[in-house]
Amino acid sequence: MFLLAAAGPLALAQQGSYDPVKTFAPFIMPDPINVYRSSNGAPGPGYWQNEADYELHPTIDPAKKQLSATETITYINNSPDTLTSLWLHVEQNIYRKDSRSRLAYGAALRGRRNTEESGPRPSSEGYIFDSVEIEAGKQRIKADYIISDTRMQIRLAEPLKPKGGQLKIHIRYHYQIPGIWGGRTSWGKSQQGEIYDMAQWYPRMCVYDDLRGWDTLPYLGSEFYLEYGHFDYYVTVPSNFIVAGSGELVNPKEVLTLQQVARLELARNSDSTVYIIKPEEIGKSESRPKQDGALTWHFHMDHTRDVAFSASPVFVWDAAKINLPDGKKSLAMSVYPPESVGEDAWTKSTEYVKNSVENFSKRWYPYPYPAAINVAGFSTGMEYPGIVFDGIPDKGSFLFWVTAHEIGHDWFPMIVGSNERRNAFMDEGFNTFIDIFESDEYAEGKYGPKRDSEYSAGGEPPDMILKVIDDPAAPPVLFPADGYPGRLGHPVSYFKGAYGMVLLREQILGPDRFDWAFRKYIRDWAFKHPSPSDFFRAMQSEAGEDLGWFWRGWYENHWKFDMAVEKIDGATMTIQNKGQLVLPATVEVKFKDGTSERFRLPWETWLSKGEYVWSSDDKKPIASVTIDPDHKLPDDDRSNNTKSAE
């Protein structure tokens, strides 16, 4: 927890009024500075990170609705600690009748994206493990393991040595693929055929880090925290299926026709969208390289924490080149069923993907992956490295917004690998913030400005966020993803998290200082695991501003901001800070001679007092005073922001 100073004399004397001691007490970061994490918010000289590399061979059986697979994990212990056990996520177990998620939330699946199936939520047996073995050196033995909800602990007969010790885990398993009730992973029937959205489909290593050792929060339905590594996965499906997966398709000549291979190569160099499979070609025998049996699609991806894929016999497929900084390029792709075709619908998806990746790459950090894919299926509104799942009926401005948002997650938390289960704002808040620029800039603002629908009725962001701040049930921004009450998870972690970044950029630091510092933070922590303290320190150090008061007021607490014009007396006016949160503010003074003046009150105005008195230099009588005349701040009571002289 963050440390707060005891309530000061002002707070004791005036219960509920502004207390500068409470706001400006020395702010102690939750995580200390050490050899692993530096005072400037960057990884320290001794920073280490373990690695998990995967070779996966999944097979989908559409008749049984089953995935079976073999998996080999090469785990490298770069930590200074000897490990006596290994922990893995086994997240298909969330669908078991006795899962913690089901018992905690009842019929509701936390993080559930599709609500078309009503009634009691179905269940499955989760992972069925056919074998689990450990290979160390030349020896391969049966593993000693236990299953605890959505985690597996492998207890090692011989501890894994520190600073480079490695071993291999061999797993054979299968599980029943959930229907659309599965939420983030599912199969469902489109108008012409089935679509399989495959996520959390293999046991994945938990993170072992310098903050907690093994981080084994169970999967309740919200978000992930995973280790980086290199992936090779080989997806075997019926020959009429198309597979879209994270990373690079390694063997296109084995799974595509010669015409499709040529079209794919054309798309790699085309700024316009190119069909790989046209709507009218779906189901045609000539659209597949073989007519029966199975095909195996091989994908490879480096420096990623996860992979996901989608498979269907009814995918339209198109693609276009992504232009990256320094002359590099990637590939934007979309796959979707025929009913999603339309110039106001998924026919525009690849253009949205391309534009979003180019924008985010230019503004923040170059996209590092070989492809960025948008899938229309049933596990809607969900992101994985290099691939996102959106909705079959999505169209218009919503399709643009959801595409940009989900693709934006490639930066947070896929590139910058923060612990999104524990710190939701570093995932959804940061990503919602970078969405703003894409919405403002695509097609000269065609779909801007972006607003979150739940709080759009108030119009401007300051009004929207007040509905969150005024809600007594709302938790602070610094809160784990699974802990938010259902209706408040979005407005707090997404919207308040993003608006905090807007305030930091536009009102506190200014765009130049903010952008410089935030870009450095992204570079420093690309493919690593920052904590909130690392972010706070990075922004303070590189932007050159003491921001403890803002971290405490906006992130740790749910404080209100309320400045008021108390009185005007000739050429003098008095402003009071009534809320516990402070922010820099613009004040506009209009004089009785028809002239006006604006000035900025810095946050230091309120370091030791709650009242500020100002007089015009030439003693001109004041006609009126307005705080925040451009309506940029989340002032809780705007009725006291303007006052006219009597």
Side-chain angles (χ1 to χ4, degrees):
M1 295 293 292
F2 289 69
L3 300 181
L4 287 175
L10 182 60
L12 295 174
Q14 298 177 319
Q15 189 69 29
S17 63
Y18 171 64
D19 178 1
V21 175
K22 189 176 181 181
T23 295
F24 290 107
F27 183 76
I28 308 300
M29 299 286 181
D31 300 317
I33 298 165
N34 52 39
V35 70
Y36 309 127
R37 297 170 190 267
S38 296
S39 59
N40 67 351
Y47 180 82
W48 54 266
Q49 194 166 293
N50 290 352
E51 179 179 326
D53 301 330
Y54 296 81
E55 182 179 323
L56 300 145
H57 295 263
T59 298
I60 290 179
D61 185 335
K64 295 181 178 179
K65 301 297 183 289
Q66 179 177 287
L67 181 141
S68 57
T70 62
E71 172 181 22
T72 299
I73 307 172
T74 302
Y75 186 71
I76 304 172
N77 178 23
N78 294 316
S79 82
D81 306 324
T82 298
L83 302 181
T84 57
S85 68
L86 306 176
W87 281 92
L88 290 80
H89 296 291
V90 287
E91 290 158 339
Q92 287 297 318
N93 286 1
I94 194 175
Y95 303 115
R96 290 174 56 92
K97 288 183 178 180
D98 60 353
S99 74
R100 287 192 186 187
S101 176
R102 182 179 292 269
L103 294 171
Y105 300 113
L109 174 62
R110 193 149 186 90
R112 183 173 175 174
R113 301 290 176 148
N114 195 304
T115 58
E116 290 182 16
E117 292 189 1
S118 59
R121 176 156 57 99
S123 63
S124 75
E125 295 182 32
Y127 279 114
I128 306 298
F129 292 101
D130 303 305
S131 66
V132 181
E133 297 177 316
I134 294 293
E135 177 186 339
K138 296 181 180 180
Q139 192 176 19
R140 187 162 160 172
I141 61 172
K142 183 179 179 181
D144 176 14
Y145 70 91
I146 63 167
I147 301 294
S148 175
D149 193 53
T150 57
R151 294 83 47 85
M152 168 192 281
Q153 184 189 38
I154 298 177
R155 296 167 175 173
L156 301 176
E158 181 178 341
L160 184 59
K161 294 179 181 180
K163 299 181 179 179
Q166 64 178 276
L167 53 70
K168 292 182 185 292
I169 307 167
H170 298 273
I171 304 175
R172 287 195 306 111
Y173 65 94
H174 62 276
Y175 68 84
Q176 202 71 22
I177 301 169
I180 60 175
W181 53 270
R184 291 179 168 181
T185 183
S186 67
W187 75 271
K189 293 182 179 180
S190 69
Q191 291 180 9
Q192 295 188 28
E194 296 172 348
I195 298 174
Y196 293 78
D197 290 333
M198 305 307 301
Q200 297 109 265
W201 56 274
Y202 60 98
R204 308 184 287 181
M205 293 301 305
C206 296
V207 172
Y208 184 89
D209 62 23
D210 60 286
L211 297 175
R212 292 180 177 83
W214 288 110
D215 199 308
T216 58
L217 281 181
Y219 178 48
L220 302 181
S222 295
E223 315 306 357
F224 314 103
Y225 186 41
L226 300 165
E227 209 62 271
Y228 287 93
H230 308 289
F231 284 72
D232 275 285
Y233 62 108
Y234 304 77
V235 182
T236 299
V237 291
S239 61
N240 64 327
F241 274 50
I242 297 297
V243 181
S246 300
E248 181 80 32
L249 176 61
V250 176
N251 63 335
K253 293 180 180 179
E254 297 177 16
V255 295
L256 303 177
T257 66
L258 291 176
Q259 184 183 53
Q260 290 162 358
V261 171
R263 289 173 176 176
L264 188 59
E265 191 58 32
L266 178 63
R268 293 185 190 279
N269 298 287
S270 173
D271 285 311
S272 300
T273 302
V274 175
Y275 275 119
I276 315 304
I277 298 178
K278 299 178 181 180
E280 61 270 22
E281 295 172 344
I282 292 173
K284 300 287 183 65
S285 59
E286 58 269 24
S287 71
R288 303 305 302 122
K290 59 183 292 189
Q291 305 309 312
D292 54 17
L295 288 171
T296 297
W297 298 60
H298 176 196
F299 296 90
H300 178 83
M301 196 172 191
D302 291 320
H303 307 298
T304 182
R305 50 178 236 163
D306 194 13
V307 292
F309 68 91
S310 190
S312 174
V314 296
F315 275 153
V316 179
W317 180 6
D318 60 39
K321 177 182 64 171
I322 296 172
N323 299 294
L324 299 174
D326 299 327
K328 297 180 180 178
K329 61 183 181 179
S330 182
L331 190 63
M333 296 195 290
S334 300
V335 293
Y336 45 95
E339 62 261 38
S340 296
V341 171
E343 285 301 318
D344 189 43
W346 277 81
T347 303
K348 298 285 285 184
S349 169
T350 290
E351 180 182 321
Y352 298 158
V353 172
K354 170 183 167 66
N355 191 273
S356 297
V357 175
E358 290 178 350
N359 187 314
F360 297 143
S361 295
K362 181 179 179 181
R363 182 177 289 276
W364 303 116
Y365 184 88
Y367 186 70
Y369 300 128
I373 308 168
N374 199 10
V375 176
F378 295 95
S379 295
T380 62
M382 193 55 209
E383 70 280 354
Y384 299 93
I387 189 169
V388 300
F389 299 158
D390 288 320
I392 292 171
D394 294 351
K395 61 179 60 177
S397 59
F398 181 79
L399 177 60
F400 170 82
W401 285 332
V402 73
T403 299
H405 179 81
E406 303 307 339
I407 288 294
H409 276 298
D410 273 302
W411 281 261
F412 307 100
M414 309 307 173
I415 295 171
V416 181
S418 48
N419 188 340
E420 52 180 328
R421 278 192 184 166
R422 293 186 183 274
N423 307 299
F425 82 97
M426 298 178 77
D427 165 36
E428 297 295 357
F430 286 2
N431 185 36
T432 302
F433 166 69
I434 68 173
D435 288 350
I436 294 168
F437 303 96
E438 170 63 4
S439 293
D440 287 347
E441 294 170 13
Y442 173 77
E444 299 181 343
K446 178 180 179 180
Y447 295 126
K450 184 191 176 191
R451 297 290 182 261
D452 280 16
S453 59
E454 188 173 351
Y455 283 86
S456 62
E460 293 300 312
D463 293 325
M464 287 186 258
I465 202 63
L466 290 180
K467 297 182 180 182
V468 183
I469 295 176
D470 285 341
D471 192 328
V477 174
L478 279 170
F479 211 68
D482 284 309
Y484 288 106
R487 66 185 179 85
L488 289 167
H490 182 90
V492 176
S493 65
Y494 289 64
F495 197 76
K496 189 180 178 186
Y499 191 50
M501 299 288 279
V502 172
L503 290 172
L504 196 59
R505 184 179 192 266
E506 306 297 337
Q507 303 301 319
I508 299 172
L509 297 176
D512 186 61
R513 283 199 291 164
F514 176 93
D515 291 356
W516 175 268
F518 195 46
R519 287 169 186 151
K520 182 179 185 298
Y521 165 77
I522 296 171
R523 290 195 309 271
D524 285 345
W525 289 100
F527 314 109
K528 298 182 178 70
H529 299 309
S531 72
S533 297
D534 298 314
F535 168 68
F536 294 156
R537 289 190 177 105
M539 297 306 292
Q540 290 189 163
S541 177
E542 200 63 22
E545 195 81 15
D546 186 344
L547 296 167
W549 55 274
F550 186 61
W551 310 139
R552 175 179 287 125
W554 191 263
Y555 290 86
E556 181 196 8
N557 290 288
H558 207 55
W559 289 345
K560 295 180 180 181
F561 173 75
D562 182 17
M563 288 176 61
V565 185
E566 284 299 302
K567 63 179 180 179
I568 298 173
D569 186 5
T572 300
M573 61 90 177
T574 302
I575 291 177
Q576 282 194 353
N577 188 48
K578 293 177 172 288
Q580 196 59 52
L581 178 69
V582 302
L583 290 168
T586 296
V587 179
E588 183 177 64
V589 181
K590 293 183 178 180
F591 300 99
K592 291 185 177 180
D593 64 2
T595 61
S596 64
E597 178 181 341
R598 282 190 177 196
F599 59 90
R600 290 274 289 173
L601 282 181
W603 58 264
E604 290 93 341
T605 304
W606 314 109
L607 267 170
S608 59
K609 61 185 183 297
E611 186 173 275
Y612 175 78
V613 179
W614 180 90
S615 297
S616 64
D617 291 338
D618 50 9
K619 306 303 181 185
K620 290 192 298 185
I622 296 172
S624 66
V625 178
T626 300
I627 299 167
D628 187 27
D630 299 321
H631 207 165
K632 299 294 185 182
L633 303 177
D635 198 296
D636 193 60
D637 181 5
R638 289 201 162 270
S639 68
N640 57 26
N641 281 27
T642 298
K643 192 175 185 68
S644 299
E646 297 179 357

